[in-house]
Amino acid sequence: MKIAVIGTGYVGTVTGACLAKLGHEVVCVDSREAVVKMTAEGKPHISEPGLAEVLMAAVKSDKLTATTDLKAACEPADAVLVCVGTPSRQDGSIDLSQIEAVSGQIGAAIAKTTGYKLVIIRSTVLPGTTRKLVLPAIEKASGKKAGKDFGLCMTPEFLREGNAVEDFANADRVVIGELDAKSGKTAEEIYAPLKAPMLHYGLETAELIKYAANSLFATLISYSNEIARVAEKHPGVDAIEVLKSVEFDRRITSDGKPTLGWTSYLRTGAGFGGSCFPKDVAALAAYAKEAGFGAPLLEAVLEENARARKAAVALAQKACGGSLAGKKVAVLGLAFKPFTDDVRESASLYIIPMLLAKEATVVAADPQAQANGARELGAQTNLSFAATPQAALTGADVAMILTAWPEFKLPQDEFIKLMKTPVIVDCRRLLDGADYSKAQVFPIGRG
Ligand code: NAD
């Protein structure tokens, strides 16, 4: 099928490249010229394992092109996939301006076309958005009728950054929210080569499934962090051990054998980040508040997440004997998780300013997210960046592991050789299981 992917960010780039790999003819559209140029050359503008190979192969086989011309991409397309951003407003509510604008643009682009087209919303949007905002905007700008002249679906994206290409290829299921049966059937044709179960729902159910999933994962993380605070009060008690044992319960893992499924979110750390969990939980909570019933549990999940970041700083302070003033802190990790360069809502963006406010000097390193982290944090007194973890650790009083990059799991002798004092605050439990007996490790969640 001919598919136009509108929005070539993290989701759009992966979706476009992977759909081309499935055999579709894809045109990636973005308003950012630099993004379009790189994509057209087969070079991803984001860092994601395996993406460079898939994208380059798609471009070389003429299965994928890129343009800033939305109209030219939509006119010949059988399907238009919308992957634009749905960020948070200041109050946490969802900002649908990109969705609204792109719906009008798609409507205008298909106004004079003949034949049936399917529009698919892939962005994360609150229940009711596709039917009440997207549909009328396309109808108004195109003069066409939904369900007759064009189809409409909402198929949420479940990929995890750092594993996105793999997640696309091995989707657990494809959720198809459909306006009508014809829309759903056309969407199914796009995803059919994936061999994943196709689950059909109404538009609003599909929209809510995405929020329900992300809210559950975020809730598990905040719950784990609360358990961690209790564990830390008791010498010898380790929250990781406690949570792993909880997983053995057959009410949680049906066969009593923990897997790396949803229970992998039963882990303590420095809080969740990224472009999805914080904004999606906040959007659902804001929606519930505006609707009059509220979502106190989700609000608490966010509050606990902010506390997890403070707890990481408190642990560093404790590791430094009570004060961070004048201490050199090597921050290992700027990305919100390993194997990505994405720093959106990353713990580092919250923790580094707290360290600086406590008069520490910070040297940060990240294998892939350094440029993004430096841009987000801006120039600040006492903040610098190092090209390698070794350079960041040199002369440091304390190291804080904020992202579980394998590169940071250095042998203890290296920490000892490089640092002024080998004190390591392990906020991702990266060092678990290895011998750090000669260093002083403060693992988050362990009493
Ligand atoms: P992003 O900000 O990285 O990308 C959005 C892109 O859309 C940008 O490149 C922007 O320039 C482009 N854009 C916006 N309006 C446009 C227009 N009118 N015409 C052309 N281009 C336009 O966002 P993302 O992380 O890729 O997320 C996209 C959506 O997918 C969001 O709703 C997000 O919640 C959802 N989602 C993201 C992830 C993830 O891991 N990042 C996972 C699942 C779902």
Side-chain angles (χ1 to χ4, degrees), residues 6-12 29-32 70 83-86 98 102 105 122-124 157-159 161 210 275-276 279-280 342 344:
I6 318 292
T8 312
Y10 278 82
V11 169
V29 181
D30 206 280
S31 41
R32 295 186 286 169
L70 184 144
C83 301
V84 300
T86 50
Q98 291 181 40
V102 87
Q105 288 170 311
R122 191 87 170 148
S123 304
T124 303
E157 174 59 71
F158 295 101
L159 60 77
E161 282 183 27
K210 175 69 190 170
S275 71
C276 292
K279 100 173 158 65
D280 293 348
D342 198 345
R344 290 178 286 184

Side-chain angles (χ1 to χ4, degrees), residues 19-91:
L19 285 175
K21 193 178 175 190
L22 295 185
H24 298 296
E25 273 179 53
V26 176
V27 183
C28 285
V29 181
D30 206 280
S31 41
R32 295 186 286 169
E33 276 180 24
V35 164
V36 166
K37 186 171 179 294
M38 285 188 76
T39 309
E41 288 168 0
K43 298 177 197 150
H45 67 97
I46 54 165
S47 176
E48 193 60 45
L51 181 61
E53 293 79 3
V54 178
L55 184 62
M56 186 54 90
V59 169
K60 279 194 173 155
S61 60
D62 294 329
K63 286 283 181 199
L64 187 143
T65 55
T67 179
T68 52
D69 190 342
L70 184 144
K71 188 166 180 278
C74 290
E75 274 172 349
D78 302 305
V80 179
L81 248 90
V82 175
C83 301
V84 300
T86 50
S88 288
R89 291 204 202 98
Q90 203 67 37
D91 64 356

Side-chain angles (χ1 to χ4, degrees), residues 160-172:
R160 294 163 298 168
E161 282 183 27
N163 213 53
V165 174
E166 172 71 16
D167 283 349
F168 189 97
N170 295 306
D172 299 317

Side-chain angles (χ1 to χ4, degrees), residues 6 70-71 74 82 96-111 119 121 133-143:
I6 318 292
L70 184 144
K71 188 166 180 278
C74 290
V82 175
L96 291 169
S97 56
Q98 291 181 40
I99 292 283
E100 191 170 10
V102 87
S103 303
Q105 288 170 311
I106 293 168
I110 66 168
V119 178
I121 301 301
L133 190 142
V134 175
L135 186 154
I138 298 176
E139 283 190 340
K140 189 172 171 216
S142 65

Side-chain angles (χ1 to χ4, degrees), residues 375-388:
R375 193 195 57 233
E376 286 305 313
L377 288 157
Q380 299 197 48
T381 315
N382 292 335
L383 171 63
S384 59
F385 298 89
T388 61

